[in-house]
């Protein structure tokens, strides 16, 4: 498999506290099984081939979903899961592989799990809060969006992991120029975004933050910049409507705040990732597809991408 196989079964019970509940609280319970290729144990921009590591997560989640306004919401949940690392043959893998100078591979890279056995069990609390006041003006959002996400380990599971992992992001969609008379007409806008993440305590390598990718620093592949315990990202983008399309230009930067060395096994150093990077570029939005040019300021070279979805 190249991306994901497995299942997800979900049960929802709306208005768990009655129809008069102003937050419209919904009970959500789910069971899941996913298998994905880990970008933590992948090479940096040098493109060196390394053995693929697959992460399988099997578990259950139960929690509450609250609706505070049209776009603003909160989620509280408890998650219990088993995480296993596998090589391409399906066998449990305790360490990532790395390429030796003579061209051979050695399985003595960063540990794949906290227990060093290739399999972890962990129970933790999850919390997320979204404050979103955006509305659409000619197909582009205007307003503000703030997101807080927290994972809190409870000492339940392999090696009794106790940790706090949190991410805070803030984005402002600022209109430029005079407001159009109709909401169907586009308006130039400036987008400013910042994102900060940090983790303290017993952090498994597979839960470390990864930098790079279409939702991080766009000129780089997912996880190509760093694997870290703390990070900071900022981005600025200008959008200009032209007939039924949007032209845009952007600049963004991401850094691991020198925290990569604090991750067990230091995958950033092991796979020769730079730890930080800057990119800039421009593109045009054609319906749901974007044609984009992104410049990698680390290697001083550019790339052309077709992308789907939004960056912010």
């Amino acid at each position: 498999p190249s991306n994901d196989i497995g299942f997800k079964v979900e049960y929802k019970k709306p208005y768990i506290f009655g129809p008069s509940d102003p937050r419209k609280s919904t009970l959500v319970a789910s069971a899941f099984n996913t298998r994905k290729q880990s970008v933590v144990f992948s090479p940096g921009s040098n493109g060196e081939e390394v053995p693929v590591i697959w992460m399988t997560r099997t578990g259950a989640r139960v929690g509450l979903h609250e609706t505070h306004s049209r776009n603003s919401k909160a989620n509280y949940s408890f998650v219990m899961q088993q995480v296993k690392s596998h090589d391409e043959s399906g066998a449990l893998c305790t360490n990532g592989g790395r390429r030796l100078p003579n061209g051979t591979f050695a399985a003595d890279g960063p540990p794949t799990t906290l227990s060093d056995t290739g399999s972890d069990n962990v129970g933790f609390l999850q919390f997320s809060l979204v404050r979103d006041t955006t509305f659409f003006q000619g197909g582009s959002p205007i307003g503000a969006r703030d997101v807080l996400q927290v994972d809190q380990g409870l000492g339940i599971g392999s090696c009794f992991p106790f940790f706090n992992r949190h991410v805070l992001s803030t984005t402002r969609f600022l209109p430029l120029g005079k407001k159009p008379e109709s909401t169907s007409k586009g308006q130039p806008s400036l987008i400013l975004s910042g994102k900060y993440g940090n983790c303290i305590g017993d952090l498994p390598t597979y839960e470390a933050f990864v930098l790079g990718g279409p939702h991080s620093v766009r000129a780089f592949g997912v996880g190509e910049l760093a694997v870290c315990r703390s990070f900071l990202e900022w981005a600025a983008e200008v959008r200009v409507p032209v007939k039924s399309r949007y032209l845009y230009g952007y600049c963004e930067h991401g850094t691991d705040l020198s925290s990569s060395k604090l991750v067990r096994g230091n995958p950033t150093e092991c796979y020769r990732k730079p730890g930080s990077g800057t990119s800039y570029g421009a593109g045009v939005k054609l319906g749901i597809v974007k044609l984009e040019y992104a410049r990698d300021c680390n290697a001083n070279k550019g790339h052309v991408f077709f992308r789907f979805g939004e960056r912010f």
Side-chain angles (χ1 to χ4, degrees), residues 40 47 82 97 111-112 114 117-118 135 144 160 180 189 222-223 231 237 242 248 293 305:
V40 170
Q82 182 183 63
T112 58
L114 189 64
T117 63
F135 63 93
F160 309 103
S189 61
V222 178
F231 74 93
E237 180 173 304
V242 178
Y248 62 92
Y293 171 80
F305 300 95

Side-chain angles (χ1 to χ4, degrees), residues 39 210-226 233 254:
V39 297
V210 293
L211 298 186
H215 299 286
S216 177
V217 184
R218 277 175 266 191
F220 303 89
V222 178
E224 196 174 278
L225 279 179
E233 295 176 351

Side-chain angles (χ1 to χ4, degrees), residues 2-305:
S2 59
N3 290 311
D4 187 308
I5 62 172
F7 67 83
K8 181 179 180 181
V9 181
E10 189 171 77
Y11 168 79
K12 291 185 178 181
K13 180 176 177 56
Y15 295 98
I16 188 68
F17 299 124
S20 61
D21 180 13
R23 297 181 177 179
K24 303 176 184 178
S25 300
T26 299
L27 175 67
V28 182
S30 62
F32 57 87
N33 180 58
T34 63
R35 187 188 188 209
K36 294 185 179 181
Q37 183 176 331
S38 175
V39 297
V40 170
F41 307 97
S42 62
S45 56
N46 54 30
E48 287 188 358
E49 182 182 356
V50 297
V52 173
I53 301 295
W54 296 88
M55 304 304 297
T56 301
R57 297 172 187 258
T58 305
R61 176 185 290 105
V62 60
L64 287 178
H65 173 85
E66 296 180 346
T67 302
H68 296 277
S69 68
R70 181 171 59 90
N71 295 325
S72 300
K73 56 189 177 182
N75 290 281
Y76 316 84
S77 59
F78 172 74
V79 182
M80 189 70 198
Q81 66 178 0
Q82 182 183 63
V83 184
K84 292 184 177 182
S85 57
H86 304 269
D87 59 21
E88 291 186 282
S89 69
L92 283 180
C93 182
T94 59
N95 293 82
R98 63 186 183 92
R99 190 182 185 93
L100 300 177
N102 61 8
T104 61
F105 296 101
D108 60 353
T112 58
T113 57
L114 189 64
S115 63
D116 295 328
T117 63
S119 178
D120 281 350
N121 296 303
V122 59
F124 58 97
L125 297 175
Q126 277 188 333
F127 166 74
S128 66
L129 178 64
V130 178
R131 174 188 174 273
D132 191 338
T133 64
T134 59
F135 63 93
F136 281 91
Q137 177 70 50
S140 185
I142 299 294
R145 182 184 300 126
D146 302 309
V147 181
L148 173 64
Q149 298 172 300
V150 179
D151 293 346
Q152 178 61 57
L154 303 174
I156 299 174
S158 306
C159 301
F160 309 103
F162 189 83
F163 60 90
N164 181 276
R165 184 179 188 270
H166 50 274
V167 179
L168 174 64
S169 65
T170 180
T171 307
R172 295 295 180 268
F173 304 87
L174 307 174
L176 301 176
K178 185 178 179 180
K179 183 179 180 180
E181 296 179 359
S182 171
T183 57
S184 61
K185 294 183 178 180
Q187 181 178 13
S189 61
L190 170 65
I191 303 173
L192 301 175
S193 178
K195 191 174 184 180
Y196 170 76
N198 185 42
C199 182
I200 57 176
D202 306 313
L203 178 70
T205 312
Y206 53 80
E207 293 291 10
F209 300 112
V210 293
L211 298 186
H215 299 286
S216 177
V217 184
R218 277 175 266 191
F220 303 89
V222 178
E224 196 174 278
L225 279 179
V227 179
C228 51
R229 290 180 71 105
S230 304
F231 74 93
L232 180 65
E233 295 176 351
W234 62 261
E237 180 173 304
V238 175
R239 295 180 179 177
V240 179
V242 178
K243 296 184 178 180
S244 60
R245 300 174 176 84
Y246 270 93
L247 301 179
Y248 62 92
Y250 72 89
C251 181
E252 51 197 14
H253 177 77
T255 173
D256 65 356
L257 300 174
S258 299
S259 67
S260 291
K261 59 189 177 186
L262 303 177
V263 179
R264 295 186 69 210
N266 197 350
T268 298
E269 180 181 57
C270 180
Y271 299 116
R272 303 179 187 178
K273 303 182 182 187
S276 65
T278 303
S279 75
Y280 65 87
V284 56
K285 185 177 180 182
L286 309 169
I288 63 172
V289 181
K290 294 188 294 184
L291 176 61
E292 182 176 281
Y293 171 80
R295 187 76 175 176
D296 173 355
C297 294
N298 286 5
N300 198 29
K301 61 182 180 181
H303 309 273
V304 176
F305 300 95

